[in-house]
Amino acid sequence: MKKITDFLRDDIDTLNEYSVLDSKGFVKLDAMENPYEREISIKANIPLSIDSQTLEYDDIFEANVNINRYPDANCEDLRKSLTKKYGLKKKYDSIIGNGSDELIQLICMAFLRSDNTILCPQPSFSMYKKIAQVLKFRFEEVPLKENFSLDINKMLEKIREIDPAIIFLAYPNNPTGNLWLKNDIDLIIKATNGIVVIDEAYGAFSGESFLGEINNYDNLLVMKTVSKVGLAGLRLGYLFGENSIIKQINKLRLPFNINSISQKISKLYTEDCKFINIQIKEIIKNRELLIDMLKDIKNIQAYDSKTNFILFKILQGSADEVFSKLLADNILVKNMSKTPGLNGCLRVTVGTKKENDIFIQSLKKSII
């Protein structure tokens, strides 16, 4: 049986992480920075409710940041906060990325060998394939079943056939919005010699996570992001895994990849996310209401969702036509109809109650 290290790129042992000494308490003259302090104050008035007529604000994000200095190269404070928040043991570490996209790229770069292959269900998050193509990584896909569940028998068969270095699994899946069976994913993790990356970008809206399983598998990585829960402008994601794997992947990360402001706000979020949790609950409530409204519209098939978006299929007429009519009404959704396995489908993000009502009224006109 192969070891995970057998899949790592050939030159990984010749590479070193970019090392930055801790400068706290030092006269800092090593990085060609402007020595004159420039401190900016961050204060965000964030509504606790997204739909309330009278908004209650909570100034949770209030901090000062020095912008004349380079940011913490290793995001030490943020990583410590994340470790504490998720209760991870010392044998696990994390990497902070400029969004999940950078983390996906780093993972692929770390395992880039001519004989390696990435495996992924289809359809799933488009960046897995795009980044693989840019890096000229071999990429194999296994179509989902008609109900968008994993075809576990074909997945296991493909694993035996190609012995993939990396398997990406979005949990819940984007763009279908559903959660796959945990038992199926467990079978995949056990069956492969390579790593399995569970992408939990939408995990906050599902109430499910594989972080609790990370102690059971040496080849499991779990990826999360702050983008979908209300902090997309920060461009920040994080990857958890066993120390030795994280260390090797981290060798490919460019220094100072996360700016000081994103680090500071993200750390505050990990320590007190009350306002985020309140908004997530409202989005979930609005999601269920929106699904019900979609299911009441004739000639539409709406799929159940565990995310902050809903996939729906146009059963009569053209998805392109409906998309264009919505666009003419200044409503922008995602046209998924060219995606393999999603013919005739559109995807809508769950908005405020007012936004959802406007969308439904326009959609009804577009379908007729």
Side-chain angles (χ1 to χ4, degrees):
M1 180 183 291
K2 284 186 178 179
K3 297 179 181 178
I4 295 172
T5 52
D6 294 333
F7 291 102
L8 288 165
R9 56 190 294 156
D10 293 330
D11 61 350
I12 197 75
D13 289 331
T14 68
L15 304 176
N16 294 304
E17 298 173 69
Y18 188 89
S19 177
V20 178
L21 295 177
D22 185 356
S23 62
K24 290 177 182 177
F26 284 76
V27 176
K28 195 170 188 305
L29 302 173
D30 65 330
M32 293 73 74
E33 298 158 322
N34 183 322
Y36 300 104
E37 297 294 327
R38 286 184 176 85
E39 187 173 84
I40 62 170
S41 179
I42 305 168
K43 184 176 181 179
N45 288 330
I46 303 171
L48 291 178
S49 172
I50 56 177
D51 285 333
S52 298
Q53 295 299 313
T54 303
L55 295 177
E56 178 188 353
Y57 286 94
D58 188 355
D59 297 336
I60 188 172
F61 282 169
E62 187 171 3
N64 296 321
V65 177
N66 287 326
I67 60 171
N68 62 304
R69 300 294 184 183
Y70 282 106
D72 178 354
N74 295 312
C75 302
E76 292 287 353
D77 288 344
L78 176 56
R79 285 168 51 234
K80 286 176 183 175
S81 291
L82 289 169
T83 297
K84 182 178 179 181
K85 177 180 179 178
Y86 292 109
L88 295 178
K89 295 180 179 179
K90 289 184 178 180
K91 65 177 290 191
Y92 300 100
D93 203 349
S94 60
I95 301 175
I96 312 299
N98 197 295
S100 295
D101 294 347
E102 184 186 26
L103 295 172
I104 294 166
Q105 184 180 46
L106 290 173
I107 294 166
C108 291
M109 289 169 63
F111 288 87
L112 187 59
R113 294 168 56 121
S114 60
D115 56 342
N116 279 353
T117 305
I118 295 172
L119 178 62
C120 189
Q122 180 197 60
S124 197
F125 184 38
S126 61
M127 290 306 296
Y128 305 145
K129 187 171 186 177
K130 183 174 181 62
I131 290 172
Q133 289 174 329
V134 168
L135 295 174
K136 297 185 178 181
F137 216 126
R138 289 195 299 177
F139 193 87
E140 294 273 351
E141 296 170 289
V142 173
L144 296 175
K145 291 183 177 180
E146 192 172 341
N147 65 353
F148 301 135
S149 63
L150 282 172
D151 192 329
I152 187 61
N153 291 329
K154 288 186 178 178
M155 282 291 293
L156 296 176
E157 181 182 333
K158 184 62 74 170
I159 289 170
R160 289 191 292 269
E161 176 189 338
I162 66 174
D163 194 19
I166 306 168
I167 299 174
F168 285 109
L169 298 173
Y171 186 78
N173 189 41
N174 173 22
T176 59
N178 60 314
L179 276 172
W180 295 318
L181 293 176
K182 269 197 168 184
N183 185 58
D184 285 350
I185 296 176
D186 281 325
L187 290 173
I188 289 170
I189 299 171
K190 291 173 183 177
T192 187
N193 295 315
I195 62 166
V196 177
V197 183
I198 306 292
D199 183 353
E200 297 185 353
Y202 300 91
F205 306 101
S206 72
E208 298 290 341
S209 175
F210 260 83
L211 261 181
E213 305 293 320
I214 202 166
N215 294 320
N216 300 329
Y217 302 107
D218 292 334
N219 63 332
L220 174 61
L221 300 179
V222 177
M223 184 165 61
K224 291 179 174 288
T225 177
V226 301
S227 294
K228 310 305 177 185
V229 296
L231 303 174
L234 299 184
R235 296 300 297 138
L236 191 139
Y238 37 100
L239 181 73
F240 299 110
E242 198 272 333
N243 284 331
S244 61
I245 302 175
I246 293 295
K247 183 177 177 62
Q248 300 288 42
I249 296 171
N250 199 42
K251 291 178 179 180
L252 284 302
R253 181 180 59 82
L254 295 177
F256 311 113
N257 61 322
I258 308 297
N259 69 73
S260 299
I261 296 172
S262 292
Q263 288 190 44
K264 179 66 74 172
I265 295 177
S266 297
K267 181 175 181 292
L268 290 170
Y269 157 67
T270 63
E271 293 172 346
D272 187 350
C273 53
K274 177 177 64 175
F275 78 93
I276 291 286
N277 291 335
I278 290 172
Q279 292 180 349
I280 287 170
K281 288 179 181 178
E282 290 210 41
I283 290 170
I284 292 172
K285 179 183 72 176
N286 287 343
R287 178 189 71 199
E288 299 308 308
L289 292 172
L290 185 55
I291 289 174
D292 289 342
M293 288 190 286
L294 284 167
K295 288 182 176 180
D296 284 340
I297 300 176
K298 192 176 180 181
N299 296 321
I300 282 181
Q301 180 180 0
Y303 298 97
D304 289 331
S305 173
K306 292 295 183 181
T307 65
N308 67 339
F309 64 81
I310 300 165
L311 185 75
F312 62 99
K313 188 171 186 176
I314 307 302
L315 302 178
Q316 182 174 314
S318 163
D320 291 337
E321 282 183 26
V322 173
F323 175 79
S324 297
K325 289 178 181 178
L326 290 170
L327 205 58
D329 258 357
N330 293 322
I331 296 173
L332 184 60
V333 299
K334 186 75 171 179
N335 190 347
M336 306 301 301
S337 60
K338 302 295 189 297
T339 302
L342 299 181
N343 182 44
C345 288
L346 301 175
R347 187 187 68 196
V348 60
T349 302
V350 178
T352 64
K353 185 177 185 302
K354 181 179 178 181
E355 289 173 330
N356 294 341
D357 289 342
I358 293 171
F359 160 69
I360 287 294
Q361 292 307 312
S362 179
L363 181 61
K364 286 178 178 177
K365 290 189 300 180
S366 303
I367 295 294
I368 296 173

